[in-house]
Amino acid sequence: MIVPKIIDVLPKEKLILSVEFSDGITRLYDCNNVINRNEYYKKLNDINFFKNVHVDAGGHGISWDDYVDISEYEILENSI
Protein backbone atom coordinates (compact mmCIF):
# COMPACT_ATOMS: atom_id res chain seq x y z
CA MET A 1 0.00 0.00 0.00
CA ILE A 2 1.37 3.38 -1.00
CA VAL A 3 0.62 6.00 1.61
CA PRO A 4 0.25 9.56 0.31
CA LYS A 5 2.31 12.28 1.95
CA ILE A 6 0.88 14.84 4.32
CA ILE A 7 0.82 18.35 2.91
CA ASP A 8 -1.06 20.24 5.64
CA VAL A 9 -2.35 19.81 9.18
CA LEU A 10 -4.74 22.01 11.15
CA PRO A 11 -5.57 21.56 14.84
CA LYS A 12 -9.27 21.50 15.67
CA GLU A 13 -11.20 21.27 18.96
CA LYS A 14 -11.08 18.27 21.32
CA LEU A 15 -7.67 17.01 20.09
CA ILE A 16 -8.86 16.54 16.51
CA LEU A 17 -6.55 17.23 13.57
CA SER A 18 -7.59 17.93 10.01
CA VAL A 19 -4.91 16.34 7.84
CA GLU A 20 -4.60 16.95 4.10
CA PHE A 21 -2.81 14.34 2.01
CA SER A 22 -1.07 14.69 -1.34
CA ASP A 23 -3.86 12.72 -3.06
CA GLY A 24 -6.29 15.54 -2.25
CA ILE A 25 -8.08 13.71 0.58
CA THR A 26 -8.56 15.43 3.93
CA ARG A 27 -9.05 13.20 6.98
CA LEU A 28 -9.86 13.85 10.63
CA TYR A 29 -7.55 12.24 13.16
CA ASP A 30 -8.46 12.00 16.85
CA CYS A 31 -5.32 12.42 18.97
CA ASN A 32 -7.19 10.89 21.91
CA ASN A 33 -6.12 7.61 20.23
CA VAL A 34 -2.49 8.25 21.24
CA ILE A 35 -2.79 10.37 24.37
CA ASN A 36 -2.12 7.44 26.71
CA ARG A 37 0.67 5.75 24.72
CA ASN A 38 3.38 7.33 26.84
CA GLU A 39 4.13 10.36 29.00
CA TYR A 40 5.17 12.50 26.02
CA TYR A 41 1.79 12.29 24.29
CA LYS A 42 0.08 13.62 27.42
CA LYS A 43 1.55 17.00 26.46
CA LEU A 44 -1.15 17.14 23.77
CA ASN A 45 -3.62 18.01 26.54
CA ASP A 46 -1.97 21.45 26.68
CA ILE A 47 -3.93 23.36 24.04
CA ASN A 48 -1.01 25.71 23.26
CA PHE A 49 1.28 22.74 22.69
CA PHE A 50 -1.38 20.96 20.61
CA LYS A 51 -1.83 23.98 18.33
CA ASN A 52 1.90 23.96 17.44
CA VAL A 53 1.61 20.87 15.26
CA HIS A 54 3.45 20.92 11.94
CA VAL A 55 4.08 18.67 8.96
CA ASP A 56 7.45 16.91 9.06
CA ALA A 57 9.93 17.47 6.25
CA GLY A 58 9.00 15.22 3.36
CA GLY A 59 5.40 14.82 4.55
CA HIS A 60 5.95 11.47 6.24
CA GLY A 61 4.26 12.52 9.47
CA ILE A 62 3.40 15.34 11.81
CA SER A 63 5.08 16.42 14.99
CA TRP A 64 5.06 18.83 17.86
CA ASP A 65 8.61 18.30 19.15
CA ASP A 66 11.38 15.68 19.05
CA TYR A 67 9.34 13.24 21.16
CA VAL A 68 5.74 13.71 20.04
CA ASP A 69 5.01 12.71 16.46
CA ILE A 70 2.57 10.64 14.43
CA SER A 71 3.31 8.92 11.11
CA GLU A 72 1.32 9.41 7.94
CA TYR A 73 0.43 5.69 8.00
CA GLU A 74 -1.02 5.93 11.54
CA ILE A 75 -3.11 8.93 10.54
CA LEU A 76 -4.36 7.37 7.32
CA GLU A 77 -5.28 4.05 8.95
CA ASN A 78 -6.93 5.51 12.05
CA SER A 79 -8.83 8.54 10.78
CA ILE A 80 -12.17 9.28 9.25
Side-chain angles (χ1 to χ4, degrees), residues 3-8 19-22 54-62 70-73 75:
V3 179
K5 294 180 180 178
I6 296 172
I7 60 172
D8 197 17
V19 182
E20 184 180 353
F21 288 89
S22 59
H54 61 274
V55 177
D56 291 340
H60 296 290
I62 59 170
I70 303 173
S71 73
E72 78 276 29
Y73 182 79
I75 294 170

Side-chain angles (χ1 to χ4, degrees), residues 1-2 17 23 26-27 37 54 64 77 80:
M1 174 176 157
I2 297 175
L17 297 172
D23 62 0
T26 299
R27 312 248 337 185
R37 283 191 184 168
H54 61 274
W64 290 264
E77 286 297 305
I80 55 172

Side-chain angles (χ1 to χ4, degrees), residues 8-54:
D8 197 17
V9 60
L10 296 170
K12 301 288 189 182
E13 294 181 5
K14 300 181 182 178
L15 297 179
I16 304 293
L17 297 172
S18 175
V19 182
E20 184 180 353
F21 288 89
S22 59
D23 62 0
I25 301 296
T26 299
R27 312 248 337 185
L28 295 176
Y29 182 80
D30 186 348
C31 289
N32 287 292
N33 295 332
V34 297
I35 205 84
N36 291 317
R37 283 191 184 168
N38 64 45
E39 64 184 85
Y40 298 113
Y41 285 102
K42 292 181 192 258
K43 294 193 286 185
L44 296 175
N45 284 315
D46 177 340
I47 192 68
N48 292 319
F49 183 81
F50 179 72
K51 287 181 177 181
N52 284 320
V53 65
H54 61 274

